[in-house]
Amino acid sequence: MSLLHKINRDTAPRHIAIIMDGNGRWAQQQGEDRLFGHNFGVEAVRETLKAAQEIGVEYLTLYAFSTENWNRPKEEVDGLMDLLVRTISGEVEELHESNVIISSIGDTEGLPTSCKEELEAAFERTKNNTGINLILALNYSAKWELIRATKQIARLVKSGEIELDQVDDDMMASMLSTRGIPDPELLIRTSGENRVSNFLLWQIAYAEFHFTEVLWPDFKREHLYKAVLDYQSRERRFGLVSAQLEKNT
Ligand code: IPE
Ligand code: IPE
Ligand code: MG
């Protein structure tokens, strides 16, 4: 039986978030420069998206560029922005054909104008689709959005529009760039690094983590199936004890 058929679609995650890491090391292994790795990373994105569609995932969030990534050598940053523009403009029609809704999280105002324009066009083109939501985390960091949300709430309290006691879990979630999107049940990171690197800190409070040694450009559909099967083998207790969960099922 193929790995895909082992997945129980009824209990598959609705939202998978991925820290796509290892492009640079993959390129180095081939004796190429880092941008070569980023270019090959696009194929892994295509494969992953198709696998997520096969499984019936509703939201796929991909960490494509962090606020810290601006500190990389200028040549790499420029190359990544250029790749982003080329990829979005080159892929948008096919994504539209397969009913994908494209959106982003992060401080997109800080992106170059050409990126912003390409992104806007892609959002507009795909906004009425009804399939998987492909969410690109661009110029994103969790601390950035948590600070922004905190400021927004403080402003509302200060102006008297809300009472301090009204601040709760739901209000905080509604101030984040993931507003309206369910929290990811599964977080995947490639390349053997076991850290979160400022990604979705609020939203992954109860996510299951799947770390794999595979470098992002080598990530194939099978790797996503494996991650989902790993997720389905876990017991998610949310603070309860096993016996309580058994009673509820
Ligand atoms: C991930 O691959 C892509 C981005 C962060 C944009 P890296 O470029 O971080 O690759 P490594 O970690 O150096 O191998
Ligand atoms: C995290 O990868 C950011 C993205 C995948 C876009 P990094 O390669 O930037 O993370 P660190 O620096 O190794 O933690
Ligand atoms: Mg990295």
Side-chain angles (χ1 to χ4, degrees), residues 19-21 63-66 69 72 189 193 195 197:
I19 303 174
M20 310 182 288
D21 199 13
Y63 202 6
F65 195 86
S66 73
N69 289 147
R72 291 190 178 193
R189 183 171 189 149
E193 306 297 354
R195 57 178 172 263
S197 303

Side-chain angles (χ1 to χ4, degrees), residues 91-129:
E91 306 277 328
V92 68
E93 274 317 306
E94 202 180 320
L95 292 171
H96 177 60
E97 288 304 311
S98 69
N99 207 14
V100 176
I101 305 154
I102 307 172
S103 65
S104 72
I105 54 171
D107 190 3
T108 43
E109 273 310 303
L111 294 171
T113 309
S114 56
C115 286
K116 281 190 278 193
E117 285 172 357
E118 241 11 281
L119 282 171
E120 274 309 320
F123 301 161
E124 190 56 31
R125 184 79 179 117
T126 61
K127 70 177 183 197
N128 295 323
N129 289 341

Side-chain angles (χ1 to χ4, degrees), residues 129-158:
N129 289 341
T130 54
I132 191 169
N133 287 274
L134 175 64
I135 303 159
L136 304 171
L138 294 166
N139 195 17
Y140 175 87
S141 84
K143 287 189 178 178
W144 164 78
E145 79 171 349
L146 288 168
I147 290 167
R148 191 182 63 156
T150 308
K151 283 183 183 167
Q152 253 170 295
I153 291 173
R155 239 178 262 126
L156 292 173
V157 173
K158 200 173 164 193

